[in-house]
Amino acid sequence: MRDSTERLLTEQLGRNQHTLATLQRNDRQQLVLTATLLAESPSLRSAIATYRVERQSGQGDRADLAQTVERELVRLGSDLEGGALLATDERGRVFAGYARGVAAPPRGLDLSRLSSVRNALDPDVVSSRNEPYLSGLELGDTYFSVGAAPVILDGFTIGTIVFGQALDSAMVARIRGAFEGEVVVSAGTRIVSSTLPHALAPLAIADPGQTGRALTLGGEEYLVAALPIGSTQRGSPLRITLLQPLGPAVRALTRTLLRDFLLFGTLAVLLAGLASALLSRSLLDPLTRFIQYLRAGAPRATTTEPLAFRAEDSSEEIRALDSSFGQLMTSLDGQRAELERRSEALVAANEVLTDEIRGRERAGEALRESEAQLRQSQKLEAIGNLAGGIAHDFNNMLTVISGFTQLAIGQLGPSHKVTGDLRQVTDAARSAASLTQQLLAFSRKQVLKPRVLDLAAAVHGMEGMLRRLIGSHIELQVGTTDEQVHIKADPSQVEQVILNLAVNARDAMPGGGTLRIGVEARPEGVALCVTDTGIGMTPAIRDRVFEPFFTTKETGRGTGLGLSTVYGIMTQSGGTIGVESEPGQGSSFCAIFPAAAEPLSAPYVDDEDAPPPRGTETVLLVDDEDQVRAMATRALEGCGYTVLSARTGVEALALARGAGPIHLLLTDVVMPQLSGPQLVERFVEKYPSPTVIYMTGQMDDTVMRLELDEEVYLLRKPFTPAGLARAARAALDARHPTVSASPHG
């Protein structure tokens, strides 16, 4: 009975150890996820970055900045069920933090030996694995189970956030509530917290051994299981030891069985003796009478009593034995039922623990999905910033290319033999400018210029270009409604949607097929449907078709930006887009634009060959790109303006002090030292009521606010010399209508 009970309890202890290990792993992964979310806090990142910049500037560790970070940690950690929240620098040294219920950690505490902090500071550690970011922490006499996460700013790790849960009596009490045994938490040979008496606790951790090892403490026998939970910065291994008492279970079972054995054994002996006496009497009495009968020599015929056994005596004996055997079996059945009941209770408890583990796993999966969504949004934001930066630099180069080409055309004249070649350069620059518009549409950093247009007319106007684009092996069918279907959108963006959907359909039909483009009015708006008879898509591909950089084409044949750009344009335009597709059945993309009730807008005419307007005013030109500044200076001076050129805002303010009246301030938005808006703010303080035109090739939040302001003149790069002259003349005439100027020179 003892061996069987020990095996049963050892198996149960192993299950409890596994369950506790799973719960501890989930709890500690929760610490890492919490530290990761805290590291993404904008206010905390800003405070840590300010502290780091001030320290690197040579001013040393400023206590006020460290206190600011510490207050931010206290504010963020007040709503969390944790015991410690620390911030370290890039060397792993604590410069701010707090610990609940204990003294604040000393500044300068070196945590670089903690594996979690060391791995968080190492950019080569795979971030999708939480295990490298877990360890222990020792603060005075208090120990913590901690998780760490890197604080990343502009792609560089500037420190870590360490979040921990105290290994105290409260945690031991929680474990003791779910485990029928004793719990000891230790750090090396030191007892952190225990439910055992203080004198017995060190003996429980002397030799952890394997799960199920028997150990005698204070005259009581226990089964032992140890669970490691990491090491502190001083190298002390943290461990949870479970002790399952063996003696009480064995004594309870053996005491019950011994009492029943003695009781029913004695009863069985008495019943056996009684049965033997009754059986002897029933057999010997007839034999005695038979012997007396033979000795008497009486004739058989004179016998008056027949020789017979008393059946009623045998029946009573059998009934007594049967009753005793039934009582014994009833007792055994009761013991078996008790064992089955306890087994069912253990199974029910195991099911509860299993449900809790599954709940923790579901919660962990939800947290991982949230973390993946956060990382995806951060990735899209980074891609958008990259696209905006590329568009800015590209627009500057296109301004130089198209500007100097237009100046060369103006000097050579329309009849020169090189003029045609130069016009090809300007056309290529316009095509390249449309590419930057596509990048800005993808990053959703473009302020649209919507106009009311007929979508059916726009499709018909592009029909010839679409036929050349898709090739002769694909049949193009255009079907539109006879009535006008007005929408309000940016015409260039509408053309971009049609072109991208047509190119996507062409690539889906490498062997030829039919491309149908239809426009129709629907209750939800005006629908542009592009349908092909190509290879189609599986549900897995269809669900990801609008993701940036997702493509099924081989390397070198696709960037994965076409459909994501369409999605960005439709979102900016207030519309929607959907797709229906099955493998081998082709695909159908339907873009729904909001219908417009206003009349059609007047067509936009941009005649670059028309003579640019002239003027005699003084223009202060500010741009940090030397080539853009040189082209703009030549263009304005060629139209009669006096141009003062400066590379930075500081240089422009110094140049303005020695000059006469300045009629027009033409400045770039993004510049070193002083930005365009900052320059204008200082310029207005000294020279009231100037005429200001902002130039920009970038679309960040500042530029978008300027473009949305109707009082601000904004010239988008790339621009031509004629476009610059028209913008300058229009701004000056609107601001100072009395200034004389010849519109045509």
Side-chain angles (χ1 to χ4, degrees), residues 148-226:
V151 180
I152 300 176
L153 185 65
D154 296 332
F156 295 96
T157 301
I158 64 173
T160 64
I161 295 298
V162 181
F163 179 70
Q165 184 179 21
L167 302 176
D168 53 9
S169 58
M171 187 199 74
V172 171
R174 289 195 301 271
I175 299 176
R176 181 65 176 83
F179 170 69
E180 296 182 359
E182 306 296 340
V183 182
V184 179
V185 178
S186 60
T189 59
R190 181 176 183 179
I191 303 302
V192 177
S193 183
S194 172
T195 59
L196 282 172
H198 184 70
L200 299 179
L203 300 176
I205 64 170
D207 182 16
Q210 297 181 348
T211 300
R213 179 180 63 90
L215 177 67
T216 301
L217 298 175
E220 188 63 69
E221 194 172 9
Y222 296 91
L223 298 177
V224 183

Side-chain angles (χ1 to χ4, degrees), residues 381-392:
E381 180 182 1
I383 293 174
N385 293 332
L386 175 62
I390 293 175
H392 172 263

Side-chain angles (χ1 to χ4, degrees), residues 11-138:
E11 294 174 358
Q12 182 64 31
L13 181 61
R15 289 192 292 269
N16 289 337
Q17 182 187 22
H18 177 71
T19 301
L20 180 60
T22 303
L23 294 176
Q24 286 294 316
R25 183 169 60 253
N26 292 338
D27 288 342
R28 300 175 71 205
Q29 289 177 354
Q30 180 73 25
L31 296 178
V32 175
L33 293 178
T34 303
T36 302
L37 294 178
L38 291 174
E40 295 295 334
S41 170
S43 58
L44 184 58
R45 290 174 63 187
S46 175
I48 295 175
T50 302
Y51 171 83
R52 180 172 179 266
V53 169
E54 292 292 337
R55 191 188 65 188
Q56 290 183 345
S57 64
Q59 299 183 14
D61 295 338
R62 288 181 51 183
D64 56 338
L65 294 178
Q67 291 175 358
T68 300
V69 177
E70 190 167 296
R71 286 194 297 270
E72 186 65 20
L73 292 176
V74 173
R75 184 186 68 81
L76 292 173
S78 60
D79 297 332
L80 300 175
E81 295 181 357
L85 182 57
L86 313 177
T88 76
D89 56 18
E90 66 275 12
R91 298 177 300 170
R93 298 184 181 276
V94 176
F95 65 88
Y98 85 101
R100 185 174 301 171
V102 298
R107 291 177 183 169
L109 177 63
D110 187 4
L111 298 184
S112 60
R113 295 184 59 187
L114 280 183
S115 59
S116 59
V117 174
R118 184 172 59 253
N119 293 334
L121 293 174
D122 186 358
D124 296 330
V125 175
V126 180
S127 60
S128 62
R129 296 180 56 203
N130 288 331
E131 288 80 358
Y133 303 130
L134 295 168
S135 62
L137 176 64
E138 181 177 353

Side-chain angles (χ1 to χ4, degrees), residues 337-359:
E338 177 65 18
L339 290 175
E340 290 178 351
R341 185 189 65 78
R342 296 195 64 180
S343 299
E344 291 175 356
L346 291 175
V347 171
N350 189 42
E351 290 178 353
V352 172
L353 289 175
T354 303
D355 292 341
E356 184 176 355
I357 292 172
R358 291 174 179 172

